[in-house]
Structure formats: C-alpha cells, structure tokens
C-alpha cells in the first residue's frame, strides 16, 4: 500500500517530468543540470555589492494554466524572456501549512512555520531579512518587503530572541497606504483594498518596521499626489506593489527586495477568467522587474532574481478539492511548484529535475549574499551557486 509520503513523491516527480516535456514542446532546449556534478563551496565571504530580488506568488497557478500547452498563452514572458536566461527547478515541494501568510513566512525563514495562518503574529524563526541585517550589518533601508495583503504586516521581523526586534525589514503594505489617503476618486477601490479571497484576516497593530505613506514619500522622494494619481489607473494591488518596488529600487537600491504578489489568489472567488487574467498580469510584472534590474546601474550585473509560488492549487480530479479555485486537499499538486533563478553566475537555459523544498531558498540566498543562515532548515541549491 502506497503511503501518503510516497504518493506525494511519485506525483511530484511526474509533475517535474511533465513540466520539462511541456517546455520542450514549446521549443525550448535545456542543459541537464541534474547531470552535472556540483561541488559544494565553503561559506562565502561577504559579497559586497551583490543584491537579491525575490518574487513570490501568493497562490500558485496550476500547470494547466501555465506550462501545459493550453496554458502557455498566459505566461509569454516567463516562457519567452525569463526561463531561457534562468535555471528552472521543476519540482519544488512545500511540506508545510498551505496558507498564504504562513507559507510565505516559511519561505522567508527557511523553516516550516506552524502558526495559525490567519493570526496576527510574526514568524517564530529568524527571517532572511534578519540574517542579512545582523550578519552583514545593514540598516533597515537596505532590506525591503512589499506585500499587498495587510495580514503580512509581521513578516519582516521574527519573535526569535537572538534576532527579532531591531533586525527586521522595512515592510510596505500598499493597501495600508491607500487606506490613509483620499481614495474617493480611485476606481475599483474595493478590489484594491480587498485583503483575502479565502478568509478574513485579523489586522495586527502597527509595528515600527512598517512605513506610513508620509515616511515612504520622504524616503523615496515620492509625491503623495503622484502616488494617489497613479493609484487611480491601477487594476490590482500587485500593480501598486510594482510601482512602489520600482521607486524603492531607483531611490534606495536596497540589497534585498522581497515582493509578494497576490492577485492570483482571486481564484478563490471561483471566477476562472479573473484567475487567468491575474496569471497574465503576474507574468508581466515578473518581466518588468527583471527589465528594471537590467536597466538600473545599481542592479545590473550583480543581482539575482528568484521567482516562485508559495504552493500550488488542487487538481481537478481530487473530490475533496475545488480544482483551480482552492488548495484544500494537501495533495501533491497543491504542494508541488517550481522555482526560477536568474542572474550573474547562474546557468542559463538549464533545468533541475531533482526534488527540492521551498525552505531551501533562504540558505541559498544567504550563500549568494555571503551571510550565515544558521537556523534555517533547508538545504543549499548548489545548482545556482
């Protein structure tokens, strides 16, 4: 009798093979990274000038709407621009809780966090942001998190006694900024401010690491009136996050920028057209971030970009799930995603089929920037080091 763990492994491996085949069918050729012998390197010294940008999707998109032939029209930029320049991991497994905040906190700490997804709490384990600030002696202006959901307010700083207070990231919650402005003339405001399509989130009290609109305008030399004017033209919180991210990169050029996209979570509403529209928008945002990196002298040639979903979505054949709409079953499809890594020193047009875990991200980022991540439980992704 097949155990749940072995079923997850076999289904994940099948998904990995299928993704490679889908991409080959799209006319892409790859170096077989899984066949290369990668020699682990010692802990790197501090890499001065190196930068990292991470983009996560709050709510993954299924292969049927992305890499499969019928879904490739929704991700033209990932397929045509980014993957050919990247190392693509086809089998990234999340073994933790499938809730967007707790899963993203796990990505950020390199440990599977176990708190209630809807609780107004911070991660229990030190985050990558704290490792960078403490290990490399950076101030808060050098480490930024931009997250559209108000429930992500505590993600920049853990409760760990050796890190935590004083070592957190600067956190921007764009919807909070809109709530503090005159929004009467902003169309589609309800959609911009909606916090979760799955369940209401408890809103924590303000924290010192979260910036206000006034502080943001001062830090980024950003006109409040320009901010409000631009917001009127936006269709989604993710577009607002991109707008702020570009200002942060242009003005402060931080070493770490973590952007959590959340538009795809509209799938919980049950509207397939809105779900695929969000995939298209997220695909374009990822490409725009990479173009911004390449056009900015502070980033070009020294920045690694990592793109990955927090987890997947239910398959159509799971009777206890709702297909694209939810991620309730905990089956292999809802746990198995992918990771895209590109930047200087990272092999282009390469595919890695071996199983890795989402918590492997933090130790890998630490090695790239030259800081220790001693409490992270993941393993190094040697293929990108």
């Amino acid at each position: 009798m097949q155990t749940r763990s072995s079923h997850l492994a076999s289904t994940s491996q099948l998904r990995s093979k299928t993704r490679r085949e889908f991409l080959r069918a799209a006319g892409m050729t790859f170096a077989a990274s899984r066949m290369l012998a990668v020699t682990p390197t010692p802990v790197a010294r501090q890499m001065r000038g190196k930068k990292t940008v991470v983009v996560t999707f709050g709510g993954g998109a299924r292969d049927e709407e992305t890499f499969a032939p019928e879904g490739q029209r929704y991700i033209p930029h990932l397929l045509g621009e980014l993957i050919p320049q990247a190392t693509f991991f086809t089998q990234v497994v999340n073994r933790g809780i499938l809730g967007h905040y707790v899963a993203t906190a796990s990505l950020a700490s390199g440990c599977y966090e176990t708190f209630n997804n809807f609780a107004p709490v911070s991660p229990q384990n030190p985050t990558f942001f704290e490792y960078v600030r403490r290990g490399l002696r950076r101030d808060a202006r050098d480490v930024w998190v931009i997250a559209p959901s108000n429930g992500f307010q505590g993600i920049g700083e853990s409760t760990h006694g050796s890190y935590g207070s004083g070592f957190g990231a600067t956190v921007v919650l764009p919807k909070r900024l809109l709530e503090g402005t005159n929004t009467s003339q902003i169309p589609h405001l309800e959609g911009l401010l909606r916090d979760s399509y799955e369940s209401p989130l408890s809103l924590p009290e303000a924290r010192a690491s979260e910036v206000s609109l006034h502080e943001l305008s001062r830090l980024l030399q950003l006109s409040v009136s320009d901010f409000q004017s631009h917001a009127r033209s936006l269709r989604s919180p993710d577009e607002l996050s991109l707008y702020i991210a570009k200002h942060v990169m242009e003005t402060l050029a931080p070493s770490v920028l973590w952007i959590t996209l959340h538009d795809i979570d509209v799938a919980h509403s049950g509207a397939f057209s809105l779900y695929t529209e969000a995939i298209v928008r997220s695909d374009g945002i990822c490409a725009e971030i990479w173009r911004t990196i390449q056009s900015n002298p502070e980033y070009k040639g020294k920045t690694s970009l990592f793109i990955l979903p927090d987890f997947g979505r239910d398959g159509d054949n799971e009777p206890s799930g709702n297909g694209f709409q939810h991620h309730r079953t905990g089956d292999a499809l809802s746990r198995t995603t992918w990771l895209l890594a590109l930047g200087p020193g990272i092999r282009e047009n390469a595919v890695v089929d071996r199983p890795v875990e989402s918590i492997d991200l933090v130790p890998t980022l630490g090695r790239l920037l030259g800081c220790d991540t001693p409490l992270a439980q993941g393993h190094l992704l040697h293929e990108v080091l």
Side-chain angles (χ1 to χ4, degrees):
M1 180 178 178
Q2 190 178 39
T3 65
R4 180 180 178 83
S5 178
S6 62
H7 175 69
L8 172 61
S10 61
T11 306
S12 298
Q13 291 168 3
L14 177 61
R15 180 62 60 181
S16 172
K17 179 180 178 182
T18 302
R19 284 179 182 148
R20 176 186 279 272
E21 291 174 348
F22 285 158
L23 294 176
R24 285 197 186 281
M28 306 178 70
T29 58
F30 300 103
S33 296
R34 60 183 177 146
M35 302 299 293
L36 299 176
V38 181
T39 303
T41 55
V43 175
R45 57 183 172 81
Q46 180 174 337
M47 305 298 183
R48 295 192 179 277
K50 278 200 169 186
K51 299 179 184 293
T52 294
V53 177
V54 177
V55 180
T56 69
F57 296 99
R62 305 184 310 174
D63 283 0
E64 289 83 350
E65 292 81 47
T66 51
F67 299 107
E70 64 272 22
Q72 291 175 2
R73 61 195 171 108
Y74 300 125
I75 55 168
H77 299 290
L78 283 173
L79 288 175
E81 298 177 40
L82 300 183
I83 289 179
Q85 301 180 66
T87 292
F88 183 70
F89 291 80
T90 63
Q91 189 180 171
V92 180
V93 178
N94 184 326
R95 300 185 185 277
I97 298 172
L98 302 186
H100 296 304
Y101 175 45
V102 66
T104 305
S106 298
L107 287 175
S109 69
C111 304
Y112 289 122
E113 301 287 336
T114 57
F115 57 79
N116 182 342
N117 184 63
F118 302 113
V121 298
S122 296
Q124 299 167 337
N125 298 283
T127 63
F128 173 60
F129 322 122
E130 295 159 74
Y131 289 134
V132 170
R133 288 203 53 204
R134 179 177 175 177
L136 302 184
R137 299 181 180 179
R138 304 295 175 82
D139 65 31
R141 291 175 299 179
D142 201 40
V143 181
W144 285 67
V145 177
I146 300 174
S149 175
N150 287 333
F152 281 63
Q153 187 178 15
I155 198 169
E157 185 176 284
S158 74
T159 58
H160 195 278
S162 299
Y163 291 85
S165 181
F167 290 110
T170 298
V171 178
V172 180
L173 306 176
K175 284 188 285 191
R176 248 330 157 80
L177 301 179
L178 282 179
E179 289 172 349
T181 66
N182 180 8
T183 55
S184 59
Q185 297 181 358
I186 299 179
H188 313 302
L189 176 62
E190 183 179 352
L192 283 175
L193 295 183
R194 186 166 187 176
D195 203 50
S196 174
Y197 291 93
E198 183 175 30
S199 179
L201 289 172
S202 300
L203 189 60
E205 295 298 320
R207 296 172 61 93
S209 59
E210 181 196 343
V211 299
S212 67
L213 178 57
H214 174 74
E215 292 169 323
L216 187 70
S217 64
R218 176 179 56 82
L219 283 169
L220 305 184
Q221 303 170 29
L222 175 66
S223 164
V224 173
S225 60
D226 287 346
F227 175 84
Q228 293 175 318
S229 176
H230 187 77
R232 286 195 288 270
S233 67
L234 299 179
R235 297 172 296 169
S236 80
D238 286 352
E239 290 183 340
L240 185 60
S241 294
L242 174 64
Y243 175 73
I244 293 174
K246 292 173 72 172
H247 273 280
V248 170
M249 295 171 74
E250 180 180 351
T251 308
L252 299 176
S255 297
V256 173
L257 180 60
W258 185 294
I259 307 166
T260 296
L261 303 180
H262 220 253
D263 282 358
I264 293 177
D265 204 40
V266 74
H268 288 302
S269 70
F272 186 78
S273 62
L274 295 180
Y275 162 61
T276 54
E277 179 183 305
I279 295 172
V280 172
R281 188 158 52 247
S282 300
D283 173 73
I285 287 174
C286 288
E288 181 62 24
I289 290 171
W290 180 242
R291 294 188 201 114
T292 300
I293 290 171
Q294 298 310 304
S295 63
N296 187 327
E298 293 291 330
Y299 285 89
K300 184 177 181 180
K302 52 189 175 185
T303 302
S304 300
L305 173 63
F306 288 77
I307 303 171
L308 73 164
D310 52 6
F311 45 77
R313 310 200 80 85
D314 292 335
D316 287 328
N317 296 325
E318 285 289 334
S320 58
N322 294 86
F324 79 91
Q325 190 174 352
H326 295 303
H327 39 81
R328 294 173 173 169
T329 63
D331 69 342
L333 296 184
S334 62
R335 292 190 176 279
T336 307
T337 59
W338 48 270
L339 182 151
L340 191 65
L342 61 166
I346 297 177
R347 282 189 294 275
E348 297 185 355
N349 201 34
V351 169
V352 179
D353 286 333
R354 73 177 179 90
V356 302
E357 295 191 42
S358 55
I359 59 173
D360 296 340
L361 179 65
V362 164
T364 303
L365 297 178
R367 176 64 61 87
L368 284 171
L369 286 185
C371 67
D372 291 327
T373 57
L375 300 179
Q377 297 171 358
H379 298 90
L380 291 173
L381 301 174
H382 291 293
E383 293 87 348
V384 300
L385 299 175

